[in-house]
Amino acid sequence: MKFKIGEKSGEAIFSSDSLEITKHGSRIFVIDKKVSELHERLLNPVIDGDPCYFICAREENKTLPIAEDILNFFLANGINRQSQIIGIGGGIVTDITGFAASVFKRGCSLILVPTTFLAMIDAAIGGKTGLNYAGLKNCLGTFFPADKIYIHTGFLKTNTPENLLNGWAECIKIALLADQQLYEMLREKQTDVNADIIHRAIAGKISYCQNDPEDKQQRQHLNLGHTFGHVLESLTGFRLPHGVAVALGIRLATHLSLEKEMIDAQTHQQINEILDLYGFPRKVSSYHSEFDAVKTRLLLRHDKKVDKDHVLNLVLFAGMHRVKIITEYDYGGIVDRIADLFV
Ligand SMILES: NC(=O)c1ccc[n+]([C@@H]2O[C@H](COP(=O)([O-])OP(=O)(O)OC[C@H]3O[C@@H](n4cnc5c(N)ncnc54)[C@H](O)[C@@H]3O)[C@@H](O)[C@H]2O)c1
């Protein structure tokens, strides 16, 4: 699948058996340590002895010090602008590798091999890179689409139920935003991820990014559920998985849309039902953390969707497969709604 994000052209290449990455000049790999162990037989011939930086994929490692360590590794291995930087892993690896590739010598050739369902349909697609900074999710980042993205469904065989749940959240989000056919497919409860679903979800995401690479207009719709989701992730010290946080964020957006009479009760029910079908919770469990109103307010103020007057820009539903960006002044009301998720 060829795509163009802004001025940059790229390609998503699908396979289910072997993984072949065309070699051009010098190369360097940034690889999820767990994936390198689980898929050693598949990856060894791909790596072919080239230098590898192994990363333990945890949110605590998606940070500037680790990015700096990766940049030092590039320097030590003589990487230049013509080299290929290849990131293999879930969204943590694709985010940090993309970031490093975008700043190293003002941008190198980037190849991503997403290994989770979520990274295949979302994190590796569209060119956003991200690092957590000062306890804030994705506070640092660049826009830097990959030149090539290899979607190898063999990696999905080892995805954990949590990996898959995270992917389903983003997949449901795309379906709810714009793709009625995908929504109907998901309603049939495909328990297995399949190439058709991945293909549709990628095409859906690209359709939002191609004319708005820097997230200034239509692409902001993809933030559905994310303003609240990111707050929940930070509040729980990243114990709440990204997808579960996004699903709770979508539920909250749906609730607010109903309150503001932007949708009817039936649409509210349909959206919640599809999230129920895939097993998403309705509340943050006490295992994840206690609610903290002061911290919630602070996190909301730091959200990237907050404008210069400190008003929140929320993506809410205006119907099924229709969203609208709403300016919200009532911080207190939003903090209360988030608090409701903890009881
Ligand atoms: N840049 C974007 O547009 C974008 C979009 C969505 C999410 N993200 C980011 O992606 C991250 C979440 O990524 P994720 O859910 O893909 O997972 P992840 O990178 O957080 O990894 C989660 C766990 O799965 C493991 N894992 C990875 N591939 C595996 C495989 N094939 N088999 C078994 N285990 C595997 C990892 O080692 C890790 O333990 C978050 O940091 C989020 O902010 C970025």
Side-chain angles (χ1 to χ4, degrees):
M1 183 195 296
K2 294 211 191 289
F3 59 78
K4 199 157 182 242
I5 310 266
E7 292 304 306
K8 196 162 173 185
S9 301
E11 190 176 8
I13 298 152
F14 294 78
S15 68
S16 56
D17 36 36
S18 65
L19 176 64
E20 280 168 32
I21 301 179
T22 320
K23 200 169 173 172
H24 289 298
S26 60
R27 309 185 306 169
I28 199 153
F29 290 85
V30 179
I31 306 189
D32 183 317
K33 194 166 181 308
K34 196 199 274 184
V35 174
S36 74
E37 288 159 8
L38 287 170
H39 296 276
E40 195 180 352
R41 285 227 323 255
L42 175 75
L43 290 176
N44 274 351
V46 174
I47 295 165
D48 196 24
D50 283 327
C52 295
Y53 183 97
F54 294 100
I55 178 165
C56 178
R58 299 182 327 156
E59 286 293 335
E60 295 88 326
N61 286 341
K62 205 177 88 170
T63 56
L64 208 47
I66 301 290
E68 201 180 340
D69 209 33
I70 292 172
L71 295 171
N72 283 328
F73 188 70
F74 291 173
L75 268 183
N77 283 283
I79 293 305
N80 57 49
R81 294 198 67 186
Q82 280 68 51
S83 307
Q84 290 178 314
I85 293 175
I86 304 172
I88 305 181
I92 288 181
V93 170
T94 58
D95 270 6
I96 200 165
T97 311
F99 181 86
S102 71
V103 296
F104 193 75
K105 309 208 171 182
R106 298 203 181 88
C108 300
S109 166
L110 173 66
I111 291 172
L112 294 176
V113 185
T115 61
T116 61
F117 179 27
L118 178 132
M120 288 179 192
I121 62 165
D122 193 12
I125 311 294
K128 271 191 189 176
T129 79
L131 298 181
N132 303 326
Y133 185 70
L136 299 169
K137 177 87 180 168
N138 294 337
C139 180
L140 305 182
T142 52
F143 293 102
F144 196 70
D147 299 285
K148 287 200 165 64
I149 304 155
Y150 288 85
I151 309 287
H152 181 70
T153 48
F155 288 112
L156 294 171
K157 288 186 193 138
T158 58
N159 269 206
T160 61
E162 186 175 298
N163 286 146
L164 296 175
L165 197 62
N166 285 331
W168 285 123
E170 298 291 358
C171 196
I172 290 171
K173 180 194 79 179
I174 283 286
L176 288 175
L177 277 174
D179 191 336
Q180 192 181 347
Q181 208 176 327
L182 180 59
Y183 170 73
E184 296 301 339
M185 281 161 79
L186 297 182
R187 259 168 35 119
E188 285 165 24
K189 181 89 170 85
Q190 299 267 3
T191 41
D192 289 338
V193 181
N194 63 42
D196 199 16
I197 285 177
I198 294 174
H199 209 277
R200 285 202 79 93
I202 292 177
K205 175 147 188 193
I206 287 173
S207 73
Y208 279 91
C209 305
Q210 56 193 0
N211 295 324
D212 183 20
E214 295 192 2
D215 211 2
K216 294 194 170 119
Q217 301 153 30
Q218 191 211 15
R219 185 173 179 167
Q220 291 181 4
H221 291 183
L222 292 171
N223 290 326
L224 174 68
H226 282 64
T227 296
F228 306 127
H230 286 166
V231 168
L232 294 172
E233 278 184 88
S234 295
L235 268 182
T236 59
F238 299 113
R239 281 188 295 280
L240 194 65
H242 178 74
V244 176
V246 167
L248 284 164
I250 295 175
R251 287 197 196 273
L252 189 43
T254 312
H255 182 76
L256 290 169
S257 312
L258 183 67
E259 267 189 356
K260 291 178 190 294
E261 297 181 353
M262 294 167 63
I263 56 170
D264 56 22
Q266 193 195 354
T267 307
H268 176 268
Q269 190 181 336
Q270 278 177 321
I271 296 170
N272 276 298
E273 272 173 7
I274 190 131
L275 293 167
D276 292 342
L277 189 64
Y278 283 80
F280 288 104
R282 289 182 172 238
K283 299 276 178 187
V284 178
S285 89
S286 55
Y287 154 79
H288 287 112
S289 86
E290 298 294 311
F291 179 68
D292 180 336
V294 176
K295 200 170 169 196
T296 303
R297 189 175 272 270
L298 262 173
L299 288 166
L300 281 171
R301 285 187 97 86
H302 278 295
D303 187 89
K304 292 188 284 300
K305 277 81 74 188
V306 169
D307 73 11
K308 60 182 183 345
D309 297 322
H310 291 294
V311 293
L312 276 167
N313 290 308
L314 300 179
V315 185
L316 300 186
F317 285 99
M320 202 61 175
H321 313 298
R322 225 156 14 100
V323 292
K324 219 171 157 183
I325 297 180
I326 296 294
T327 306
E328 177 66 63
Y329 299 87
D330 180 14
Y331 266 81
I334 298 295
V335 172
D336 290 345
R337 291 287 168 275
I338 294 176
D340 291 343
L341 293 174
F342 285 75
V343 288

